[in-house]
Amino acid sequence: MKPINVGLLGIGTVGGGTFTVLKRNQEEITRRAGRPIRITMVADRNVEKAREITGGDVRVTDDAFAVVTDPEVDIVVELIGGYGVAKDLVLKAIENGKHVVTANKALIATHGNEIFAAAQAKNVMVAFEAAVAGGIPIIKALREGLTANRIEWIAGIINGTTNFILSEMRDKGLPFDVVLKEAQRLGYAEADPTFDVEGVDAAHKLTIMAAIAFGIPVHFDKAHVEGITKLHAEDIKYAEQLGYRIKLLGLTRHTPEGVELRVHPTLIPAKRLIANVEGAMNAVLVKGDAVGATLYYGKGAGAEPTASAVIADLVDVTRMHTSDPENRVPHLAFQPDAMVDLPILPLAEVQTSYYLRLRVEDRPGVLAEITRILADQSISIDAMIQKEPGEGEEQTDIILLTHLTREKHIDAAIAKIESLPVVKAKIIRLRLEELL
Amino acid sequence: MKPINVGLLGIGTVGGGTFTVLKRNQEEITRRAGRPIRITMVADRNVEKAREITGGDVRVTDDAFAVVTDPEVDIVVELIGGYGVAKDLVLKAIENGKHVVTANKALIATHGNEIFAAAQAKNVMVAFEAAVAGGIPIIKALREGLTANRIEWIAGIINGTTNFILSEMRDKGLPFDVVLKEAQRLGYAEADPTFDVEGVDAAHKLTIMAAIAFGIPVHFDKAHVEGITKLHAEDIKYAEQLGYRIKLLGLTRHTPEGVELRVHPTLIPAKRLIANVEGAMNAVLVKGDAVGATLYYGKGAGAEPTASAVIADLVDVTRMHTSDPENRVPHLAFQPDAMVDLPILPLAEVQTSYYLRLRVEDRPGVLAEITRILADQSISIDAMIQKEPGEGEEQTDIILLTHLTREKHIDAAIAKIESLPVVKAKIIRLRLEELL
């Protein structure tokens, strides 16, 4: 059968991996897809490197627009990243009737609505399995595997860099800065790690999963995004004593008042499987009303794991490209005319539990003052540790875990507690999820 | 758009769950599928119970053949189980041009080749996500999510009953018989638990996964099937001391000499995520050459988790049923004309590591005799525990872990060691997998 011709934009880490895996597993992939899938054209700024990798059979150009307009190209694979030229290229490819496969989470999370509308109008597919959790087929699971369910919530470890850093901080008791440097040295963190450690990358991926899970547009701008840069090693230790691990979770939950969309360090019970996902690995826990909790685990980044997702999309598009658009899997899992725009819940209204660490004077009555303020906000306490002060010290730490409350109530309580003269430092506040 | 009409064969636990979930999540499912999916006809021996559950809108009959031949029915859902009448019904449904969705692992594992050939000839789809690991979308992951990969191996905890029993045996140090009774009381094991505890159910599911992973026919008759009935609580304890957990694994591996296909109790490192899957939960670990290891976890049985998989198949078939057959996902992941029939490796040729427990006389030189026999078979030792004999006892246990060797070599070594006068009982032999 006639091969499918792929135009590749960007032959860096993931692009190179895609080329390698497509070539190495050519026979196996053809046996599955029913026809050969071959990269016939590559655009990269570094034309020489691109020629070196592709070896000669492939047309190489430094003009990406030449690829997205080429009449021979059936599917464009966009691996440039970012929302600048990548957006123009994807829209131009769609305009030219090309199907698009992309690993670009930033693009989909911020401009997905516009891109999917354009694709819809031109009857082409935009596939983005590689945009979330690398090689784990989580988009497919959400969009096709769990169609029977009302999805209740999703909690994901969807950034390998931060999970590696948190694992090391816990293992070795080291502070964030030190571990970050080690992660950079080992290649787990980039020279400018901001997007990862500030939670932006995780929020991109979370936004995409929320859209698919609930049939809503992408709303990256409304996500609460909080990274791990302010996390202290001692809170990881205290959490452990209380039976919890701290993970940077992307959380989205369907509530009657709106959709929660938040990324922040989170205490989770150490006995949960997802709490034991270590190093640079990713995992996504999905709660459906029929299926219960299901978990998906694997490598969230890297050349070949990401290529695995890119190629799975290529096979899907190859299988479906001649079929009636209405028989295809919809981009955001729900049919375009069946999307709804649920409100995103402001953080102040989110209900969760809290971990609080308070630096206080070591004298009788302190705890009573604190618990009275919490009680006034209807916040009840689930567990507590009060440290013995060190030899000659007059201050000590109190660690509290609360039951479920609203963020605005804990905000109010914290403001009042911090104004007590016996409280000697800003309160450390982390969120806690049981994930049941 | 015109609804899809479903005929349901059997409205027991899973059938009832399917009816309930389809009804409860009707709106959500329609938004995804693009058209309503409704059960219009039900066959069950207990017509009254079926009427009670379905409530009146649905035609109920005790004649399942009336459903598979009914001109109004688009898709037949087979939830009767077994390979008797279920097989006739599925073939008759196909003959009448109906698509089929089934949860029947025994049927697919033993008669899948015949059924898929019939479906192919009639251009209809046979979907069976619910046949493996309940609500976990593992068939979809293998068949569509990992198409880029050469699958190297799959290791699955794919029987909830046995995993529950093993978890309890470890937790409470109780023998198999006692825990089985408890499992039966709690509804985790059936009155006749043979298929579960002897590994047959797991072997059915493993056979199906192997076919999809490697593009081979189903070969249940060639699987090595070994259950947990002979497992001793003390071996679980010794394994734990050595850093391992014992799980009933279904294992299939692609080797140059053939495909391994085996179900047996297996030691796995306690630090692996899959080793921490407890109770009646299921998990499947898949190793692909590009993606590395990915894991899929969730409920492997129960009314609504299984219904989740049945309905996901219904949505898939609804989306694809008007499309060209060659654009559909092939039944066994590979195009029918691209299947190969790799040999299944006889157990004697399988390479794995072993756990051996030997009951021996407590006197000098015993270990030397044993290790000499192992060395003669080129089997090297990875770890050892020699128990101090109890007060007044003249016998003791030696526990050995070996490096990789072939089953036939360990068989030969065990036969020789058992013939030593100092060895006082049959050797306990378990297999060990690092799962890396």
Side-chain angles (χ1 to χ4, degrees):
Chain A
M1 216 185 286
K2 193 175 157 288
I4 283 282
N5 295 332
V6 175
L8 184 62
L9 309 181
I11 191 156
T13 305
V14 177
T18 302
F19 190 86
T20 307
V21 174
L22 257 182
K23 195 165 177 180
R24 186 177 70 224
N25 294 345
Q26 195 168 21
E27 190 218 324
E28 197 106 348
I29 293 166
T30 306
R31 284 173 61 206
R32 290 187 174 113
R35 66 180 72 194
I37 298 172
R38 57 181 196 195
I39 293 173
T40 53
M41 200 172 177
V42 171
D44 200 286
R45 275 183 300 196
N46 191 337
V47 170
E48 244 170 79
K49 192 200 64 183
R51 285 227 175 81
E52 213 168 278
I53 296 170
T54 58
D57 288 0
V58 177
R59 284 187 293 157
V60 173
T61 172
D62 62 357
D63 177 12
F65 284 93
V67 174
V68 301
T69 55
D70 190 281
E72 300 285 303
V73 167
D74 301 306
I75 308 175
V76 170
V77 174
E78 185 275 304
L79 300 173
I80 292 172
Y83 6 66
V85 68
K87 184 186 167 197
D88 298 338
L89 286 164
V90 165
L91 288 173
K92 184 62 100 178
I94 292 169
E95 194 188 308
N96 280 272
K98 316 288 184 205
H99 303 289
V100 174
V101 172
T102 178
N104 191 335
K105 45 231 154 206
L107 180 63
I108 298 294
T110 53
H111 299 287
N113 302 329
E114 183 184 347
I115 290 167
F116 295 132
Q120 188 65 18
K122 286 296 244 177
N123 279 340
V124 297
M125 290 174 267
V126 175
F128 49 93
E129 181 65 80
V132 181
I136 308 171
I138 183 65
I139 299 296
K140 188 167 277 287
L142 285 170
R143 203 162 64 163
E144 303 173 43
L146 303 177
T147 42
N149 293 267
R150 271 185 300 111
I151 306 291
E152 296 174 357
W153 52 260
I154 301 173
I157 296 175
I158 43 183
N159 180 274
T161 303
T162 46
N163 202 55
F164 174 83
I165 292 173
L166 292 178
S167 295
E168 290 289 297
M169 286 175 73
R170 183 175 76 85
D171 254 21
K172 302 183 179 162
L174 291 171
F176 171 78
D177 297 341
V178 175
V179 177
L180 173 61
K181 286 212 183 76
E182 188 204 351
Q184 286 172 319
R185 195 176 53 77
L186 293 169
Y188 287 120
E190 301 195 37
D192 178 358
T194 314
F195 259 42
D196 291 316
V197 299
E198 296 293 1
V200 178
D201 175 74
H204 284 149
K205 295 164 181 167
L206 179 69
T207 300
I208 298 170
M209 289 198 289
I212 292 172
F214 307 127
I216 59 173
V218 291
H219 278 306
F220 171 68
D221 52 323
K222 292 179 191 153
H224 171 77
V225 186
E226 196 180 318
I228 62 166
T229 53
K230 293 185 198 103
L231 196 66
H232 301 278
E234 57 197 301
D235 292 307
I236 295 175
K237 203 184 61 195
Y238 285 139
E240 187 122 45
Q241 289 171 20
L242 290 156
Y244 293 83
R245 299 262 168 93
I246 298 181
K247 295 289 182 187
L248 183 69
L249 285 192
L251 276 159
T252 183
R253 176 179 276 127
H254 192 283
T255 82
E257 302 160 292
V259 171
E260 296 179 9
L261 198 57
R262 49 195 171 103
V263 171
H264 51 68
T266 313
L267 278 78
I268 47 182
K271 64 186 170 206
R272 299 273 178 277
L273 215 53
I274 195 171
N276 294 283
V277 169
E278 300 292 350
M281 301 304 282
N282 281 19
V284 181
L285 186 59
V286 182
K287 177 79 188 306
D289 70 330
V291 75
T294 53
L295 180 128
Y296 309 83
Y297 163 91
K299 283 182 184 151
E304 294 210 356
T306 311
S308 173
V310 167
I311 296 169
D313 276 348
L314 284 173
V315 173
D316 270 2
V317 173
T318 299
R319 280 171 176 162
M320 288 193 287
H321 82 292
T322 57
S323 69
D324 228 11
E326 71 186 27
N327 290 318
R328 294 174 188 156
V329 180
H331 289 119
L332 290 178
F334 292 77
Q335 301 292 332
D337 58 4
M339 301 279 286
V340 291
D341 198 358
L342 302 174
I344 303 298
L345 201 64
L347 190 65
E349 300 299 330
V350 163
Q351 287 193 62
T352 182
S353 304
Y354 292 88
Y355 163 103
L356 303 176
R357 173 159 60 88
L358 304 92
R359 190 73 188 156
V360 298
E361 259 177 56
D362 180 43
R363 65 167 181 75
V366 169
L367 193 61
E369 288 186 72
I370 292 164
T371 51
R372 186 189 44 77
I373 294 173
L374 290 168
D376 286 348
Q377 294 290 335
S378 304
I379 298 167
S380 58
I381 294 169
D382 178 47
M384 199 200 67
I385 306 179
Q386 182 157 12
K387 302 296 292 179
E388 283 293 314
E391 183 78 23
E393 282 189 311
E394 289 172 356
Q395 294 181 5
T396 185
D397 280 342
I398 294 176
I399 293 97
L400 295 171
L401 302 186
T402 77
H403 283 294
L404 277 186
T405 182
R406 276 190 207 270
E407 184 93 5
K408 63 182 174 191
H409 296 143
I410 205 85
D411 284 345
I414 286 176
K416 281 194 185 148
I417 294 170
E418 283 182 344
S419 72
L420 295 175
V422 294
V423 174
K424 295 303 179 191
K426 273 189 77 66
I427 291 171
I428 304 290
R429 169 247 309 266
L430 295 166
R431 298 177 193 88
L432 181 156
E433 295 282 337
E434 289 294 330
L435 299 183
L436 265 182
Chain B
M1 216 185 288
K2 193 174 156 291
I4 284 281
N5 295 332
V6 175
L8 184 61
L9 309 181
I11 191 155
T13 305
V14 177
T18 301
F19 190 86
T20 306
V21 174
L22 256 182
K23 194 164 178 181
R24 185 176 72 223
N25 293 346
Q26 195 168 21
E27 191 217 322
E28 197 106 350
I29 293 166
T30 306
R31 284 173 60 204
R32 290 186 174 114
R35 67 179 72 194
I37 298 172
R38 57 180 196 195
I39 293 174
T40 52
M41 201 172 176
V42 171
D44 200 286
R45 274 183 299 192
N46 190 336
V47 170
E48 245 169 80
K49 194 199 63 185
R51 285 228 175 84
E52 212 169 280
I53 296 172
T54 59
D57 288 0
V58 177
R59 283 187 293 158
V60 173
T61 172
D62 62 356
D63 177 12
F65 283 94
V67 174
V68 302
T69 56
D70 189 281
E72 299 285 301
V73 167
D74 300 308
I75 308 174
V76 169
V77 174
E78 185 276 303
L79 299 173
I80 292 174
Y83 5 66
V85 68
K87 185 186 168 197
D88 297 339
L89 286 163
V90 165
L91 287 174
K92 183 64 98 177
I94 292 168
E95 195 188 309
N96 280 274
K98 316 288 183 205
H99 303 288
V100 174
V101 172
T102 178
N104 191 335
K105 44 233 155 204
L107 180 64
I108 298 294
T110 52
H111 298 288
N113 301 329
E114 183 185 346
I115 288 167
F116 297 131
Q120 187 67 18
K122 287 297 246 178
N123 279 341
V124 297
M125 290 175 267
V126 175
F128 49 93
E129 180 65 78
V132 182
I136 308 170
I138 183 65
I139 298 296
K140 187 166 278 287
L142 284 169
R143 201 161 64 163
E144 303 173 42
L146 303 177
T147 42
N149 293 266
R150 272 185 299 110
I151 306 292
E152 296 173 357
W153 51 261
I154 300 173
I157 296 174
I158 42 182
N159 180 274
T161 304
T162 46
N163 202 54
F164 174 83
I165 292 172
L166 293 178
S167 295
E168 290 288 298
M169 285 175 74
R170 184 176 76 85
D171 255 22
K172 303 184 178 162
L174 292 171
F176 171 78
D177 297 340
V178 174
V179 177
L180 172 61
K181 286 213 184 78
E182 188 204 349
Q184 285 171 319
R185 195 177 53 78
L186 293 169
Y188 286 120
E190 301 193 38
D192 177 359
T194 315
F195 259 43
D196 292 316
V197 298
E198 295 294 2
V200 178
D201 175 76
H204 284 149
K205 295 164 180 166
L206 179 70
T207 301
I208 297 171
M209 291 198 289
I212 293 173
F214 307 127
I216 59 173
V218 290
H219 278 308
F220 172 69
D221 53 323
K222 292 179 190 151
H224 171 76
V225 187
E226 195 180 320
I228 61 166
T229 53
K230 294 185 197 102
L231 196 65
H232 301 278
E234 57 198 299
D235 292 308
I236 295 175
K237 203 183 62 194
Y238 285 139
E240 187 122 45
Q241 288 171 22
L242 290 157
Y244 293 83
R245 299 262 168 93
I246 298 181
K247 295 289 182 187
L248 183 70
L249 284 191
L251 276 158
T252 182
R253 176 180 276 126
H254 191 283
T255 83
E257 301 159 293
V259 171
E260 296 179 9
L261 198 58
R262 48 192 172 105
V263 172
H264 51 67
T266 314
L267 277 79
I268 48 182
K271 66 186 169 206
R272 298 274 179 277
L273 215 53
I274 196 172
N276 295 283
V277 170
E278 299 292 351
M281 302 303 283
N282 281 20
V284 180
L285 187 60
V286 183
K287 178 78 187 307
D289 71 331
V291 76
T294 53
L295 179 128
Y296 308 83
Y297 163 89
K299 284 183 182 148
E304 294 209 356
T306 311
S308 173
V310 167
I311 297 169
D313 276 348
L314 284 172
V315 173
D316 270 2
V317 173
T318 299
R319 281 171 175 162
M320 288 194 287
H321 82 292
T322 58
S323 70
D324 226 11
E326 70 186 27
N327 290 317
R328 295 176 187 154
V329 180
H331 289 119
L332 291 178
F334 292 77
Q335 303 291 331
D337 58 3
M339 301 279 286
V340 290
D341 198 359
L342 302 174
I344 304 298
L345 202 63
L347 189 66
E349 299 300 330
V350 163
Q351 288 192 61
T352 183
S353 304
Y354 292 86
Y355 163 103
L356 304 176
R357 173 159 61 88
L358 305 91
R359 189 73 189 158
V360 297
E361 259 178 54
D362 180 44
R363 64 168 183 73
V366 169
L367 192 61
E369 288 186 73
I370 292 164
T371 51
R372 187 190 43 77
I373 293 173
L374 289 168
D376 285 348
Q377 295 289 336
S378 304
I379 297 167
S380 58
I381 294 169
D382 179 47
M384 197 199 69
I385 305 178
Q386 183 157 10
K387 302 296 291 179
E388 284 294 315
E391 185 77 21
E393 283 189 311
E394 288 173 355
Q395 295 181 4
T396 185
D397 279 343
I398 294 176
I399 293 96
L400 295 172
L401 302 185
T402 78
H403 283 294
L404 276 186
T405 182
R406 277 190 206 270
E407 183 92 5
K408 64 183 174 190
H409 296 143
I410 205 85
D411 284 344
I414 285 176
K416 280 194 187 150
I417 295 170
E418 283 182 344
S419 72
L420 294 175
V422 294
V423 174
K424 293 303 177 190
K426 273 191 76 68
I427 292 172
I428 304 290
R429 167 248 307 268
L430 295 165
R431 298 178 192 88
L432 182 157
E433 294 282 338
E434 289 294 330
L435 299 183
L436 266 181

PDB file of all heavy atoms in Angstrom, chain B residues 326-342:
ATOM      1  N   GLU B 326     -10.132  -1.612   6.499  1.00  0.00           N
ATOM      2  CA  GLU B 326      -8.658  -1.543   6.525  1.00  0.00           C
ATOM      3  C   GLU B 326      -8.152  -0.340   7.320  1.00  0.00           C
ATOM      4  O   GLU B 326      -6.967  -0.235   7.610  1.00  0.00           O
ATOM      5  CB  GLU B 326      -8.088  -1.534   5.109  1.00  0.00           C
ATOM      6  CG  GLU B 326      -8.352  -0.259   4.340  1.00  0.00           C
ATOM      7  CD  GLU B 326      -7.885  -0.389   2.895  1.00  0.00           C
ATOM      8  OE1 GLU B 326      -7.847  -1.529   2.382  1.00  0.00           O
ATOM      9  OE2 GLU B 326      -7.556   0.633   2.301  1.00  0.00           O
ATOM     10  N   ASN B 327      -9.041   0.571   7.669  1.00  0.00           N
ATOM     11  CA  ASN B 327      -8.622   1.706   8.494  1.00  0.00           C
ATOM     12  C   ASN B 327      -8.871   1.484   9.976  1.00  0.00           C
ATOM     13  O   ASN B 327      -8.600   2.348  10.793  1.00  0.00           O
ATOM     14  CB  ASN B 327      -9.346   2.972   8.054  1.00  0.00           C
ATOM     15  CG  ASN B 327      -8.857   3.423   6.697  1.00  0.00           C
ATOM     16  OD1 ASN B 327      -7.663   3.406   6.443  1.00  0.00           O
ATOM     17  ND2 ASN B 327      -9.773   3.787   5.841  1.00  0.00           N
ATOM     18  N   ARG B 328      -9.443   0.329  10.305  1.00  0.00           N
ATOM     19  CA  ARG B 328      -9.687   0.039  11.715  1.00  0.00           C
ATOM     20  C   ARG B 328      -8.413  -0.486  12.364  1.00  0.00           C
ATOM     21  O   ARG B 328      -7.496  -0.943  11.687  1.00  0.00           O
ATOM     22  CB  ARG B 328     -10.785  -1.010  11.840  1.00  0.00           C
ATOM     23  CG  ARG B 328     -12.125  -0.499  11.331  1.00  0.00           C
ATOM     24  CD  ARG B 328     -13.135  -1.634  11.388  1.00  0.00           C
ATOM     25  NE  ARG B 328     -14.386  -1.242  10.746  1.00  0.00           N
ATOM     26  CZ  ARG B 328     -15.244  -2.093  10.197  1.00  0.00           C
ATOM     27  NH1 ARG B 328     -14.981  -3.396  10.229  1.00  0.00           N
ATOM     28  NH2 ARG B 328     -16.354  -1.660   9.646  1.00  0.00           N
ATOM     29  N   VAL B 329      -8.416  -0.447  13.681  1.00  0.00           N
ATOM     30  CA  VAL B 329      -7.310  -1.068  14.411  1.00  0.00           C
ATOM     31  C   VAL B 329      -7.459  -2.576  14.265  1.00  0.00           C
ATOM     32  O   VAL B 329      -8.522  -3.123  14.535  1.00  0.00           O
ATOM     33  CB  VAL B 329      -7.375  -0.673  15.899  1.00  0.00           C
ATOM     34  CG1 VAL B 329      -6.234  -1.326  16.655  1.00  0.00           C
ATOM     35  CG2 VAL B 329      -7.348   0.839  16.049  1.00  0.00           C
ATOM     36  N   PRO B 330      -6.417  -3.280  13.812  1.00  0.00           N
ATOM     37  CA  PRO B 330      -6.571  -4.733  13.627  1.00  0.00           C
ATOM     38  C   PRO B 330      -6.820  -5.448  14.959  1.00  0.00           C
ATOM     39  O   PRO B 330      -6.340  -5.011  16.009  1.00  0.00           O
ATOM     40  CB  PRO B 330      -5.220  -5.155  13.035  1.00  0.00           C
ATOM     41  CG  PRO B 330      -4.411  -3.920  12.811  1.00  0.00           C
ATOM     42  CD  PRO B 330      -5.087  -2.773  13.471  1.00  0.00           C
ATOM     43  N   HIS B 331      -7.593  -6.528  14.913  1.00  0.00           N
ATOM     44  CA  HIS B 331      -7.954  -7.266  16.134  1.00  0.00           C
ATOM     45  C   HIS B 331      -6.752  -7.578  17.006  1.00  0.00           C
ATOM     46  O   HIS B 331      -6.761  -7.367  18.202  1.00  0.00           O
ATOM     47  CB  HIS B 331      -8.624  -8.603  15.762  1.00  0.00           C
ATOM     48  CG  HIS B 331      -9.996  -8.420  15.207  1.00  0.00           C
ATOM     49  ND1 HIS B 331     -10.343  -8.810  13.935  1.00  0.00           N
ATOM     50  CD2 HIS B 331     -11.108  -7.866  15.739  1.00  0.00           C
ATOM     51  CE1 HIS B 331     -11.618  -8.511  13.715  1.00  0.00           C
ATOM     52  NE2 HIS B 331     -12.106  -7.930  14.799  1.00  0.00           N
ATOM     53  N   LEU B 332      -5.725  -8.111  16.390  1.00  0.00           N
ATOM     54  CA  LEU B 332      -4.560  -8.516  17.173  1.00  0.00           C
ATOM     55  C   LEU B 332      -3.393  -7.540  16.965  1.00  0.00           C
ATOM     56  O   LEU B 332      -2.235  -7.934  16.966  1.00  0.00           O
ATOM     57  CB  LEU B 332      -4.160  -9.953  16.839  1.00  0.00           C
ATOM     58  CG  LEU B 332      -5.159 -11.010  17.331  1.00  0.00           C
ATOM     59  CD1 LEU B 332      -4.720 -12.403  16.914  1.00  0.00           C
ATOM     60  CD2 LEU B 332      -5.326 -10.964  18.844  1.00  0.00           C
ATOM     61  N   ALA B 333      -3.724  -6.266  16.770  1.00  0.00           N
ATOM     62  CA  ALA B 333      -2.743  -5.184  16.695  1.00  0.00           C
ATOM     63  C   ALA B 333      -1.987  -5.147  15.370  1.00  0.00           C
ATOM     64  O   ALA B 333      -1.688  -4.087  14.858  1.00  0.00           O
ATOM     65  CB  ALA B 333      -1.755  -5.235  17.863  1.00  0.00           C
ATOM     66  N   PHE B 334      -1.689  -6.309  14.831  1.00  0.00           N
ATOM     67  CA  PHE B 334      -1.001  -6.384  13.542  1.00  0.00           C
ATOM     68  C   PHE B 334      -2.032  -6.680  12.455  1.00  0.00           C
ATOM     69  O   PHE B 334      -3.040  -7.335  12.708  1.00  0.00           O
ATOM     70  CB  PHE B 334       0.067  -7.485  13.558  1.00  0.00           C
ATOM     71  CG  PHE B 334       1.220  -7.165  14.463  1.00  0.00           C
ATOM     72  CD1 PHE B 334       1.098  -7.306  15.850  1.00  0.00           C
ATOM     73  CD2 PHE B 334       2.420  -6.716  13.953  1.00  0.00           C
ATOM     74  CE1 PHE B 334       2.158  -6.995  16.689  1.00  0.00           C
ATOM     75  CE2 PHE B 334       3.483  -6.409  14.786  1.00  0.00           C
ATOM     76  CZ  PHE B 334       3.350  -6.544  16.161  1.00  0.00           C
ATOM     77  N   GLN B 335      -1.783  -6.198  11.248  1.00  0.00           N
ATOM     78  CA  GLN B 335      -2.676  -6.494  10.131  1.00  0.00           C
ATOM     79  C   GLN B 335      -2.755  -8.009   9.934  1.00  0.00           C
ATOM     80  O   GLN B 335      -1.739  -8.711  10.077  1.00  0.00           O
ATOM     81  CB  GLN B 335      -2.160  -5.815   8.851  1.00  0.00           C
ATOM     82  CG  GLN B 335      -1.994  -4.305   8.958  1.00  0.00           C
ATOM     83  CD  GLN B 335      -3.324  -3.566   9.075  1.00  0.00           C
ATOM     84  OE1 GLN B 335      -4.340  -4.024   8.570  1.00  0.00           O
ATOM     85  NE2 GLN B 335      -3.323  -2.434   9.764  1.00  0.00           N
ATOM     86  N   PRO B 336      -3.954  -8.511   9.630  1.00  0.00           N
ATOM     87  CA  PRO B 336      -4.118  -9.975   9.522  1.00  0.00           C
ATOM     88  C   PRO B 336      -3.103 -10.634   8.588  1.00  0.00           C
ATOM     89  O   PRO B 336      -2.621 -11.728   8.875  1.00  0.00           O
ATOM     90  CB  PRO B 336      -5.541 -10.118   8.973  1.00  0.00           C
ATOM     91  CG  PRO B 336      -6.237  -8.861   9.350  1.00  0.00           C
ATOM     92  CD  PRO B 336      -5.199  -7.780   9.389  1.00  0.00           C
ATOM     93  N   ASP B 337      -2.739  -9.958   7.485  1.00  0.00           N
ATOM     94  CA  ASP B 337      -1.785 -10.588   6.571  1.00  0.00           C
ATOM     95  C   ASP B 337      -0.334 -10.399   7.025  1.00  0.00           C
ATOM     96  O   ASP B 337       0.592 -10.823   6.360  1.00  0.00           O
ATOM     97  CB  ASP B 337      -1.975 -10.053   5.139  1.00  0.00           C
ATOM     98  CG  ASP B 337      -1.802  -8.540   5.081  1.00  0.00           C
ATOM     99  OD1 ASP B 337      -1.487  -7.919   6.132  1.00  0.00           O
ATOM    100  OD2 ASP B 337      -2.002  -7.964   4.003  1.00  0.00           O
ATOM    101  N   ALA B 338      -0.156  -9.746   8.163  1.00  0.00           N
ATOM    102  CA  ALA B 338       1.204  -9.512   8.673  1.00  0.00           C
ATOM    103  C   ALA B 338       1.463 -10.289   9.967  1.00  0.00           C
ATOM    104  O   ALA B 338       2.432 -10.050  10.668  1.00  0.00           O
ATOM    105  CB  ALA B 338       1.424  -8.020   8.911  1.00  0.00           C
ATOM    106  N   MET B 339       0.569 -11.245  10.276  1.00  0.00           N
ATOM    107  CA  MET B 339       0.783 -12.062  11.464  1.00  0.00           C
ATOM    108  C   MET B 339       1.885 -13.080  11.167  1.00  0.00           C
ATOM    109  O   MET B 339       2.055 -13.517  10.026  1.00  0.00           O
ATOM    110  CB  MET B 339      -0.503 -12.816  11.822  1.00  0.00           C
ATOM    111  CG  MET B 339      -1.689 -11.918  12.098  1.00  0.00           C
ATOM    112  SD  MET B 339      -1.688 -11.233  13.757  1.00  0.00           S
ATOM    113  CE  MET B 339      -2.151 -12.698  14.680  1.00  0.00           C
ATOM    114  N   VAL B 340       2.609 -13.467  12.200  1.00  0.00           N
ATOM    115  CA  VAL B 340       3.605 -14.522  12.036  1.00  0.00           C
ATOM    116  C   VAL B 340       3.334 -15.540  13.132  1.00  0.00           C
ATOM    117  O   VAL B 340       2.699 -15.224  14.127  1.00  0.00           O
ATOM    118  CB  VAL B 340       5.044 -13.985  12.183  1.00  0.00           C
ATOM    119  CG1 VAL B 340       5.409 -13.098  11.006  1.00  0.00           C
ATOM    120  CG2 VAL B 340       5.227 -13.240  13.497  1.00  0.00           C
ATOM    121  N   ASP B 341       3.784 -16.760  12.925  1.00  0.00           N
ATOM    122  CA  ASP B 341       3.553 -17.729  13.987  1.00  0.00           C
ATOM    123  C   ASP B 341       4.878 -18.137  14.609  1.00  0.00           C
ATOM    124  O   ASP B 341       5.465 -19.135  14.230  1.00  0.00           O
ATOM    125  CB  ASP B 341       2.770 -18.936  13.468  1.00  0.00           C
ATOM    126  CG  ASP B 341       2.165 -19.714  14.627  1.00  0.00           C
ATOM    127  OD1 ASP B 341       2.390 -19.313  15.782  1.00  0.00           O
ATOM    128  OD2 ASP B 341       1.469 -20.715  14.385  1.00  0.00           O
ATOM    129  N   LEU B 342       5.336 -17.351  15.546  1.00  0.00           N
ATOM    130  CA  LEU B 342       6.583 -17.665  16.234  1.00  0.00           C
ATOM    131  C   LEU B 342       6.379 -18.895  17.112  1.00  0.00           C
ATOM    132  O   LEU B 342       5.307 -19.100  17.662  1.00  0.00           O
ATOM    133  CB  LEU B 342       7.006 -16.486  17.121  1.00  0.00           C
ATOM    134  CG  LEU B 342       7.209 -15.141  16.416  1.00  0.00           C
ATOM    135  CD1 LEU B 342       7.467 -14.047  17.447  1.00  0.00           C
ATOM    136  CD2 LEU B 342       8.372 -15.240  15.444  1.00  0.00           C
TER     137      LEU B 342
END
